[in-house]
Amino acid sequence: MKIKTTIILSLSIVAIVICSYLAILVYFSWPIEELSIRQAALLGDSFGILNSLFSGLAFAGVIITIALQRQELKESRAVFKSQKFEDAFYRLLDFYKENLNDITDYNDNALPSKGIGVLSNQIKKISPAISQYSGSYSSDYEVEEINAQLLFAEINKNIKHQSRYLGTLENILHLIVYELESNKERYFYLKILSSQLTVHEVRYVFYRCLISKTESSLVKLINDSRLIESRVPESGINGRVIDLYNKNHGTELNLYMRGD
């Protein structure tokens, strides 16, 4: 309906312009003393200005149409890319939850624990080592290094590396950090992901990153995205261990919530 209206309006404007121009010519040529083919030819030639005008307008219309089509195509691609990203994000988020629920730990003479319970049990096992590290501060650099290495050994022993679980988390972060161009969009999806993490998951990811190399892809993504930074204050992670994390990875995790 809009196209039909536009066509009728355009033809009406063209007719009005031609009739107006013809009326002006007749007005200034009146009275007409001779009606002949020669005079009619002169009248036709006088419409050359209008022909040039309409030709220019037609060419400009073609240029505008091409520009509008390119803009629409660009917007369509942006919408498609956004929909494609959302599909991938929520699909990976589902895989993340499935992999979390599939984590299983078989204890001696006990029923196997699954999911969050496994992470919680592993974290409880390192509580004595964390308490010992927290209470054994020394100004001697070498002693501090030894204490840190002992803590790392306990974490590595008890906090098992869940490849599928951590791999899916890494893929989600990679998707957000590298596929989105807008910081606002990154922040939005990181908030969604962060809200899905329980305190046990935050602690687990923190401890696994603590004992990993700074240049590892997971640590870089966790630090660059600041995924767990806002969750640290509520996680109950020991302050000295947080300081150790900051020292090892050059980050600024804090015990207190920081506004963005």
Side-chain angles (χ1 to χ4, degrees), residues 17 22 80 89-90 92 110 123 130 140 155 164 177 182 193 213 224 242 244 250 260:
V17 171
L22 181 60
F80 176 76
F89 173 79
Y90 288 108
L92 282 173
I123 292 168
I130 291 175
D140 189 319
I155 293 175
R164 289 175 58 191
V177 173
S182 167
L193 178 58
K213 295 181 178 180
D224 290 345
I242 294 175
L244 181 60
D260 289 309

Side-chain angles (χ1 to χ4, degrees), residues 14-142:
V14 171
I16 291 171
V17 171
I18 293 175
C19 292
S20 299
Y21 184 73
L22 181 60
I24 292 172
L25 288 178
V26 172
Y27 175 79
F28 284 105
S29 301
W30 194 265
I32 299 175
E33 298 178 353
E34 180 184 357
L35 295 175
S36 64
I37 295 177
R38 184 176 63 84
Q39 292 294 333
L42 291 175
L43 179 63
D45 291 341
S46 67
F47 279 88
I49 297 175
L50 285 182
N51 291 336
S52 299
L53 174 63
F54 285 125
S55 296
L57 291 176
F59 181 73
V62 171
I63 299 298
I64 293 172
T65 300
I66 294 173
L68 290 174
Q69 287 177 343
R70 290 185 64 183
Q71 181 65 27
E72 290 176 357
L73 181 60
K74 184 178 180 180
E75 292 175 355
S76 298
R77 287 176 176 173
V79 171
F80 176 76
K81 184 177 180 180
S82 176
Q83 292 175 343
K84 185 178 179 182
F85 173 87
E86 285 193 3
D87 290 342
F89 173 79
Y90 288 108
R91 188 184 296 272
L92 282 173
L93 197 59
D94 288 338
F95 287 152
Y96 172 84
K97 294 177 182 177
E98 290 177 9
N99 290 334
L100 173 62
N101 293 330
D102 287 342
I103 296 175
T104 306
D105 186 21
Y106 294 93
N107 298 316
D108 295 335
N109 301 321
L111 293 175
S113 55
K114 296 181 68 69
I116 297 293
V118 176
L119 305 185
S120 177
N121 291 335
Q122 291 180 1
I123 292 168
K124 288 177 182 178
K125 291 178 181 179
I126 65 170
S127 294
I130 291 175
S131 298
Q132 183 177 355
Y133 174 77
S134 178
S136 60
Y137 172 77
S138 174
S139 57
D140 189 319
Y141 174 79
E142 293 185 359

